[in-house]
């Protein structure tokens, strides 16, 4: 199954019933343990342009609001449910924010380039969400 990004695909995707793409099929926590050979996330974020950093922060706020902020209390108190929502947030970020920006920029080369940071796995993405979320603060 190849994952294509078209407007019909985007609108047909349900947030509650997303079909995993090949990169999303890993479901056990152990599959998220290996770090990426690429440079660390903090190094990537330090190299972001001011426009990209602003867009990245807005994207994180968007996924935080969609997937974490509005969770019922019973889901916030369950680590399994909370990390399921974080995984959904990560997929949404990768598929709908990063990939959509790539598609837009491929269609319109005059648009300002926003290179959203990519997360190799759930762990660094979850760490980033924990760092910005007042709900997830210890």
């Amino acid at each position: 199954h190849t994952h294509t990004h078209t407007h019909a695909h985007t609108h047909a995707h349900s947030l509650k019933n997303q079909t995993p793409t090949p990169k999303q099929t890993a479901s056990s926590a152990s599959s998220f343990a290996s770090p990426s050979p690429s440079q660390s996330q903090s190094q990537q974020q330090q190299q972001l342009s001011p426009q990209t950093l602003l867009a990245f922060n807005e994207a994180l706020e968007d996924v935080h609001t969609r997937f974490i902020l509005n969770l019922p209390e019973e889901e916030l108190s369950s680590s399994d449910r909370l990390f399921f929502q974080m995984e959904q947030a990560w997929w949404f970020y990768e598929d709908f924010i990063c990939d959509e920006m790539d598609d837009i920029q491929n269609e319109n080369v005059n648009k300002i380039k926003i290179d959203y940071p990519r997360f190799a796995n759930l762990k660094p993405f979850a760490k980033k969400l924990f760092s910005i979320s007042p709900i997830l603060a210890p």
Side-chain angles (χ1 to χ4, degrees), residues 83-134:
F83 277 93
F84 174 79
Q85 289 297 321
M86 286 190 167
E87 185 176 53
Q88 295 294 309
W90 174 48
W91 292 347
F92 183 90
Y93 172 80
E94 291 289 331
D95 289 346
F96 290 94
I97 295 175
C98 297
D99 287 352
E100 292 265 325
M101 179 55 68
D102 291 346
D103 290 347
I104 289 168
Q105 289 175 345
N106 288 338
E107 293 168 9
N108 184 358
V109 294
N110 295 324
K111 185 163 178 68
I112 295 172
K113 184 144 179 67
I114 304 290
D115 281 324
Y116 287 102
R118 296 286 189 150
F119 294 85
N121 55 56
L122 178 60
K123 186 176 180 179
F125 182 81
K127 282 183 172 182
K128 190 63 181 170
L129 275 185
F130 269 95
S131 76
I132 67 155
S133 177

Side-chain angles (χ1 to χ4, degrees), residues 27-73:
S27 60
S28 69
S30 63
S31 65
F32 297 121
S34 60
S36 167
S38 65
Q39 59 185 190
S40 76
Q41 293 297 322
S42 62
Q43 287 174 329
Q44 282 182 348
Q45 289 174 23
Q46 289 172 357
Q47 297 172 359
L48 297 179
S49 72
Q51 287 175 317
T52 299
L53 187 58
L54 178 63
F56 174 57
N57 288 333
E58 288 174 357
L60 286 177
E61 286 296 325
D62 179 24
V63 296
H64 178 260
T65 301
R66 288 175 189 262
F67 294 92
I68 307 298
L69 192 62
N70 295 314
L71 280 179
E73 185 62 38

Side-chain angles (χ1 to χ4, degrees), residues 10-21:
T10 300
H11 295 299
H13 235 26
S14 165
L15 293 179
K16 294 193 185 265
N17 296 320
Q18 290 185 352
T19 303
T21 62

